[in-house]
Amino acid sequence: MIKKLYIKNLAIIDEVCLEFENGLNIITGQTGSGKSIIINAIDLLLGSNFSKNLIRTGESSCVVEGYFLLNKFEYNIRRVFYKNSASKAFLNEMPITLNEIKKISEKLVDFHGQHNHQKLLDIANHIECLDAYGNYAEDLKHISDLYLKINSLNKKLDETIIKQKNIFEKNELNNFQLEELSKYNLKDGIDIDVESNYSTLINIKEIKEDLDNFINDFDIHDNSILSIINKNLKQIDKYENINKHLDSFINRLDQINIEIKDLCDEIHTYSDNLNFDEIQFEEVSDKLSFLEMIKRKYGGSIQSALAYKAKIEHSIEDGKNYKQEIENLTKNIVFLKKTYSQLAKEISLKRCKTAKKINKTILPILKNIGMDKTSINFEVNHDPDGFNINGADMCIIKISTNVGEKMKPLNEIVSGGELSRIMLAIKMLLQEKDPVDTIIFDEVDSGISGQIAEQVGDQIEKLGKKRQIVCITHLSQIACKGKYHLSIGKKSFNNKTNVYIEKLTENKRIEEIASLISGKQITENATNQARELLSI
């Protein structure tokens, strides 16, 4: 139940605090007195969106705070709104998100207002009323999960098909580029090796001449280095074994002589094999040109070309993987749709049984609010190909308000007063099924009067004996049923309008109800009638 409501700087309210009691709390006041602001404040505490235009003129912020009691646990919800910054929300002084508030509020308060009546005019909302009375919440949760899963897989399937299509469209280019990049066994540094080979071939004549000159100078020529070394070795060989220093020089010269001889032999062999081959030169030249083109085309280096080649190979492989993924997704979707279809049929059967039950159970409630001639039918139609978050059914509430009249859709025949009472009957039916501690009736008396109003008041009074009711009304027949009575008014002071709230005493209550009967000028007859309604 809601115990207290505190409001500061909301619309024309400066600062007010309302206390509510268990049972039926009546709120009355003239049109424009601020009753709707009270409802807006409670709605804000339950998670509705806020417009900064609601902040009182001249103020920079406003506060709405409520104290609720549920199963002996207190919930203190406070929301603070600012003109120039984001709003804040708190639960028992701890920060909380708007979604968390909405989840909690579902257990705290059930709203019944004029917007609920309008919801009945939309056939799409009829199935919600039916399902709220049924005993298949787990099935609805399951089919909702299936629906979301199928939609998610369908989205993924569409995305995968588009990706596959994009790859297929690029396949011709990808295959051409992959063939181009695979012409030579590309590896890091290949361009350097080929360029070195090319430089050797283009300078082969000069290289060969220089190598031949080297061999002549070191080996073949009469005055070659080897000849000079051998000549001098013979001169100092006679001093071998005389002392260790001379032996060391002789050994080193022997090693140098051998090393130079080996080097000359290798150079000679290399030079003999070093012949200019026109075909080989053309091949190396073409390869070098090709590698330069590859570098220019694919990022400026062999490394970038190799990375691009890996990307193409990965893309082509993805195309093959996408094909398998599409097959797997399609199979999964077909399986889930089959499961969905079967569950939808089961839910449809349960809905039909629930509809029969609600059609019968709601009649006594309608009778008690002056609609004893009314017949009502929750008609369930199953579409085997239907696919919605709550199944494959459509529910249409049809009624006949007079004996002998044909059943017609609710939105085609009801008046505002009838619509209000039908919604009230549905609310009362659902409250017996899944009660919430507090119900707020915002001008439930719209479009009714006289005896019907009294009957509606009787039902609200009856409901108030089981749980807390907050009822805003303009009718004396309903206002007199309250256990507690709050009056809302407004007054001006220093060019500002303020809302005030008064908890009515017995005498004040007679006066308030008399004003509902006769208007501004309270007559003696209205006062006597008010006393009679209040049984005073």
Side-chain angles (χ1 to χ4, degrees), residues 295-343:
K295 288 195 290 183
R296 286 194 305 272
K297 191 173 178 179
Y298 298 106
S301 68
I302 294 298
Q303 293 96 322
S304 61
L306 287 168
Y308 192 83
K309 181 185 178 186
K311 181 181 177 182
I312 293 173
E313 289 172 336
H314 183 70
S315 178
I316 292 171
E317 189 63 29
D318 276 347
K320 298 175 185 176
N321 293 337
Y322 286 147
K323 182 181 179 182
Q324 185 61 50
E325 186 176 357
I326 288 169
E327 289 177 2
N328 293 339
L329 285 169
T330 302
K331 287 179 183 178
N332 201 1
I333 290 169
V334 169
F335 172 76
L336 290 176
K337 279 189 173 181
K338 187 177 179 181
T339 306
Y340 174 95
S341 181
Q342 182 59 41
L343 182 57

Side-chain angles (χ1 to χ4, degrees), residues 139 142-147 149-150 331-347 382 384 386-387 391-392:
D139 290 337
H142 187 193
I143 206 162
S144 171
D145 291 343
L146 281 171
Y147 174 85
K149 179 67 174 176
I150 291 168
K331 287 179 183 178
N332 201 1
I333 290 169
V334 169
F335 172 76
L336 290 176
K337 279 189 173 181
K338 187 177 179 181
T339 306
Y340 174 95
S341 181
Q342 182 59 41
L343 182 57
K345 288 178 185 177
E346 294 173 9
I347 291 173
H382 182 71
F387 182 67

Side-chain angles (χ1 to χ4, degrees), residues 137-198:
E138 285 298 319
D139 290 337
L140 290 174
K141 175 69 168 59
H142 187 193
I143 206 162
S144 171
D145 291 343
L146 281 171
Y147 174 85
L148 295 174
K149 179 67 174 176
I150 291 168
N151 274 351
S152 175
L153 291 178
N154 273 324
K155 183 180 178 182
K156 189 174 182 181
L157 177 61
D158 290 341
E159 290 171 351
T160 306
I161 289 172
I162 290 171
K163 288 178 182 177
Q164 186 192 51
K165 182 181 177 182
N166 290 338
I167 287 177
F168 284 163
E169 287 175 352
K170 294 179 180 177
N171 259 0
E172 186 175 349
L173 176 61
N174 284 341
N175 287 330
F176 170 78
Q177 290 178 330
L178 184 61
E179 184 179 353
E180 190 172 56
L181 290 165
S182 301
K183 184 175 181 179
Y184 295 107
N185 184 23
L186 291 183
K187 59 182 179 181
D188 195 17
I190 187 173
D191 54 334
I192 297 172
D193 293 341
V194 173
E195 189 173 356
S196 174
N197 197 7
Y198 175 82

Side-chain angles (χ1 to χ4, degrees), residues 197-215:
N197 197 7
Y198 175 82
S199 297
T200 300
L201 288 172
I202 204 169
N203 294 296
I204 197 165
K205 185 177 180 181
E206 290 81 359
I207 293 171
K208 191 172 178 66
E209 287 178 357
D210 290 339
L211 290 177
D212 288 345
N213 289 334
F214 177 88
I215 293 170

Side-chain angles (χ1 to χ4, degrees), residues 229 232-258:
I229 291 173
N232 285 283
L233 268 173
K234 288 178 182 178
Q235 290 296 321
I236 62 173
D237 269 348
K238 59 187 177 183
Y239 302 116
E240 189 176 12
N241 297 324
I242 290 178
N243 66 57
K244 61 181 181 179
H245 294 294
L246 288 172
D247 288 345
S248 173
F249 297 153
I250 292 168
N251 288 334
R252 288 174 66 186
L253 282 169
D254 281 337
Q255 290 298 321
I256 291 170
N257 187 46
I258 293 169

Side-chain angles (χ1 to χ4, degrees), residues 8 71 241 325 329 332 338 359 443 470 535:
K8 184 177 178 64
N71 299 327
N241 297 324
E325 186 176 357
L329 285 169
N332 201 1
K338 187 177 179 181
N359 292 341
E443 299 190 9
V470 177
S535 301

